Amino acid sequence: IKQECKNISLSKIQHLVSVLKRVSGDTRSLFTRVGDNVSLSCTNVVYQDCSSTTWNYHRTGLQSVIEEVGHGKIQTNSKRADRLKVGSDCSLHVSDVRAEDAGIYTCQQFLKVGGPQYESHAPVHLSVLNSEPVTLRCFLYTSDGPGICSSGVTEHVSLLWVDQAGNNLTKDSRHQVIQTSNCDITLTVTLQKEDNNRKWTCQLIIDGKKNISLDFNLTLFVMYLKYIVVLLLYAMSARCRGRRGSRGRSRHT
């Protein structure tokens, strides 16, 4: 007991007393989007050097809780360790956010290694705005129908997709090109933040030479705005329900 008392400085004791006066169980929600950087605040810090702070992660489907930070140190065996950083205020910084980062991050306090958990905890519900891959279909409409090369056309006709620089798009980690026929081609793109206002072009090639083209522009801001409006409406609805509930309770008291 004497040894443990020696390890606890007067400043830590004073800070612990101030923490005891706070309200525990502060649950917060945080919304971000894929590719952004986000900071998760810890509202129940005991030791300012973060030596008491542990960050745990959990989401539906996981069999157990994952410890991302233990006593202020990033757990190197975490799949997101290279994208995590502990701030000077013990907040958890996540860079290049991915869809799989969504979940509940709980800031907990342990006054010593192997000791019991301090009674309060601060969970943060992180929701990540994501989008499904976008599919763009380009086809030549002929006398035989959509995407069917006319048997009466003697020229060699083909379609291809190119990026803004004019480079042919082929299958890679973000793009998938499926050519049903020489007159029907589909491009599927896994969107990223930098794709805002990016242009993809479908080119019609006749006898090996570019003839005409069709441009496709995508504005991600419009897509994100739709999601944000939905989130705001949901939050306003929840707040209104909460107010009606509190009024109803007050009438019965």
Side-chain angles (χ1 to χ4, degrees):
I1 297 176
K2 292 182 178 180
Q3 184 63 34
E4 291 178 1
C5 291
K6 291 180 180 179
N7 292 335
I8 301 177
S9 65
L10 179 60
S11 61
K12 287 184 177 181
I13 293 176
Q14 291 173 339
H15 182 67
L16 180 58
V17 172
S18 66
V19 171
L20 288 170
K21 297 178 181 178
R22 301 177 189 172
V23 177
S24 63
D26 180 21
T27 302
R28 290 159 296 124
S29 297
L30 187 61
F31 300 93
T32 188
R33 60 185 179 182
V34 171
D36 281 355
N37 300 327
V38 68
S39 180
L40 311 180
S41 299
C42 182
T43 59
N44 63 343
V45 177
V46 177
Y47 297 158
Q48 296 301 303
D49 61 357
C50 305
S51 62
S52 61
T53 299
T54 292
W55 279 98
N56 290 328
Y57 168 79
H58 188 263
R59 60 176 170 80
T60 302
L62 289 182
Q63 295 182 349
S64 61
V65 173
I66 299 175
E67 184 176 288
E68 301 288 359
V69 176
H71 294 278
K73 305 295 183 181
I74 301 294
Q75 298 296 324
T76 56
N77 59 347
S78 169
K79 293 182 179 180
R80 52 177 69 88
D82 59 336
R83 297 185 293 110
L84 298 180
K85 182 181 179 182
V86 178
S88 58
D89 58 352
C90 307
S91 58
L92 182 63
H93 302 298
V94 186
S95 61
D96 188 21
V97 171
R98 301 171 186 175
E100 57 268 25
D101 293 332
I104 302 175
Y105 294 80
T106 303
C107 184
Q108 298 176 328
Q109 301 299 307
F110 296 87
L111 304 187
K112 63 179 181 178
V113 177
Q117 176 192 336
Y118 177 65
E119 62 180 26
S120 69
H121 62 280
V124 181
H125 292 250
L126 178 64
S127 299
V128 181
L129 188 62
N130 196 21
S131 62
E132 294 290 335
V134 171
T135 298
L136 305 174
R137 183 189 176 197
C138 178
F139 58 90
L140 192 64
Y141 212 117
T142 70
S143 58
D144 291 334
I148 303 175
C149 295
S150 177
S151 57
V153 176
T154 58
E155 295 88 353
H156 182 270
V157 176
S158 64
L159 298 173
L160 58 85
W161 284 100
V162 298
D163 60 18
Q164 292 185 135
N167 301 314
N168 291 1
L169 288 174
T170 56
K171 185 177 180 180
D172 56 29
S173 59
R174 293 189 53 223
H175 305 91
Q176 183 176 5
V177 179
I178 299 177
Q179 187 141 20
T180 306
S181 70
N182 284 343
C183 297
D184 194 341
I185 190 170
T186 300
L187 171 66
T188 300
V189 183
T190 301
L191 297 175
Q192 295 182 353
K193 186 170 61 174
E194 57 267 26
D195 288 329
N196 189 34
N197 291 322
R198 180 160 293 181
K199 179 178 69 176
W200 293 274
T201 301
C202 176
Q203 292 184 349
L204 172 63
I205 308 299
I206 299 178
D207 289 337
K209 296 181 180 179
K210 175 185 173 182
N211 188 273
I212 55 177
S213 62
L214 186 63
D215 295 334
F216 292 81
N217 290 83
L218 184 65
T219 302
L220 297 183
F221 175 75
V222 175
M223 297 176 62
Y224 286 134
L225 183 60
K226 291 179 180 178
Y227 281 107
I228 292 171
V229 169
V230 171
L231 292 173
L232 287 176
L233 290 175
Y234 175 80
M236 292 172 63
S237 175
R239 180 175 295 181
C240 290
R241 288 196 300 269
R243 288 178 177 175
R244 286 198 297 268
S246 61
R247 290 174 183 174
R249 289 191 297 271
S250 63
R251 293 193 187 101
H252 294 288
T253 56

